[in-house]
Amino acid sequence: MTMATTRQKILITGASSGLGEGMAREFAAMGRDLALCARRTDRLEQLATELRSAHPGITVAVRALDVNDHDAVFRVFGELRDELGGIDRVIANAGLGKGQPLGTGSFEANRQTAETNVIGLLAQCEAALEIFHAQDAGHLVVISSVSAVRGMRGNITTYAATKAAAASLAEGIRMQHLRSPIAVTTIMPGYIESEMTAQAGKTPLMTDARSGARALVKAIEREPAKAYVPGWPWTVLAQVMRFAPLSVVRRLS
């Protein structure tokens, strides 16, 4: 675990809703300056106005960003760095959760999820690391999922595979930057209320959005190599899922 100074200037992708919006609210309440990106600029602007009003001492910069526009990722990250006078932490949170069982004629939905969650994430990591290398400091946070622990069935087969790729990508970057001023954290959320989880219907062990956001920020602030969020019960359940027979994992998914 890296014992870091306060990361004052934080960039969050996918910040217009869900986990990204929740983390933005929590960091704003802690007095951090924010760079918020998402496709839906109307929601971003509304959130930024609210946060500036509630916390007048902070700076909130916003930009429209589709992470599948890879050139835009590099451009927008650079613009936000310049506007805030640097970026101390990038939370690569933008992603898709849609998908269908493979072989059901829904390749397009699965393709979009794979491209956004893997190639789009790769662009975010590359752009963040360019900034951190130039600064010789920074904290990259990759939002994966507890579903990355094993292959999953049905509608989340592709999603789970992309989140396993995200975890592997983050670990490789972390290995490259061991004993350097650049820290890398993989966050593995369990079930936290959001637009994405709402699509899945009623799910056991669901954490409400506010509690989930607080747990995410608390974990990120510690800057561990990897953290399951919330820690209970997901740290334990992840180990069960990792080693259990597929018949057991099927019942948990």
Side-chain angles (χ1 to χ4, degrees):
M1 181 174 67
T2 302
M3 299 304 294
T5 57
T6 298
R7 310 286 187 180
Q8 180 63 31
K9 302 169 184 179
I10 302 173
L11 188 156
I12 306 173
T13 64
S16 63
S17 64
L19 303 186
E21 179 183 359
M23 288 187 285
R25 293 182 188 280
E26 295 299 318
F27 281 120
M30 297 165 68
R32 309 299 174 84
D33 297 321
L34 298 174
L36 305 179
C37 313
R39 291 177 299 169
R40 293 176 290 190
T41 53
D42 55 337
R43 296 185 61 161
L44 270 186
E45 293 288 358
Q46 183 178 354
L47 175 62
T49 299
E50 175 191 329
L51 296 180
R52 293 183 191 117
S53 176
H55 312 286
I58 69 171
T59 298
V60 183
V62 300
R63 290 290 191 286
L65 180 63
D66 181 345
V67 298
N68 289 312
D69 183 345
H70 307 136
D71 290 340
V73 173
F74 289 86
R75 174 179 52 79
V76 167
F77 277 34
E79 290 174 356
L80 290 168
R81 172 203 57 206
D82 294 344
E83 185 167 343
L84 265 61
I87 297 291
D88 301 318
R89 173 182 287 147
V90 170
I91 303 176
N93 167 71
L96 287 180
K98 68 179 182 180
Q100 292 294 320
L102 270 69
T104 60
S106 301
F107 170 74
E108 184 61 22
N110 292 324
R111 180 192 64 78
Q112 290 175 13
T113 296
E115 289 187 352
T116 301
N117 293 1
V118 179
I119 308 303
L121 173 63
L122 179 63
Q124 294 171 72
C125 291
E126 290 267 21
L129 289 168
E130 283 189 6
I131 292 171
F132 295 160
H133 286 159
Q135 298 174 165
D136 199 29
H139 182 207
L140 174 63
V141 180
V142 172
I143 304 298
S144 178
S145 168
V146 72
S147 68
V149 173
R150 294 288 291 272
M152 293 290 165
R153 65 188 173 101
N155 292 347
I156 65 169
T157 298
T158 300
Y159 174 80
T162 67
K163 290 304 182 177
S168 180
L169 179 64
E171 186 171 54
I173 297 169
R174 185 182 312 115
M175 187 186 305
Q176 181 178 341
H177 293 88
L178 288 176
R179 296 180 293 279
S180 88
I182 297 174
V184 182
T185 293
T186 309
I187 297 294
M188 318 279 278
Y191 301 138
I192 299 174
E193 284 181 346
S194 68
E195 290 182 0
M196 188 179 296
T197 57
Q199 296 172 5
K202 188 175 181 180
T203 306
L205 305 176
M206 184 73 73
T207 300
D208 69 89
R210 183 80 180 272
S211 298
R214 287 177 172 172
L216 286 166
V217 167
K218 184 177 180 180
I220 289 168
E221 285 286 282
R222 291 191 292 108
E223 302 194 7
K226 179 170 71 174
Y228 295 96
V229 180
W232 174 259
W234 293 107
T235 301
V236 173
L237 284 180
Q239 300 312 308
V240 173
M241 292 169 65
R242 186 183 302 279
F243 297 108
L246 282 181
S247 59
V248 174
V249 176
R250 178 184 173 89
R251 291 197 292 272
L252 293 172
S253 65

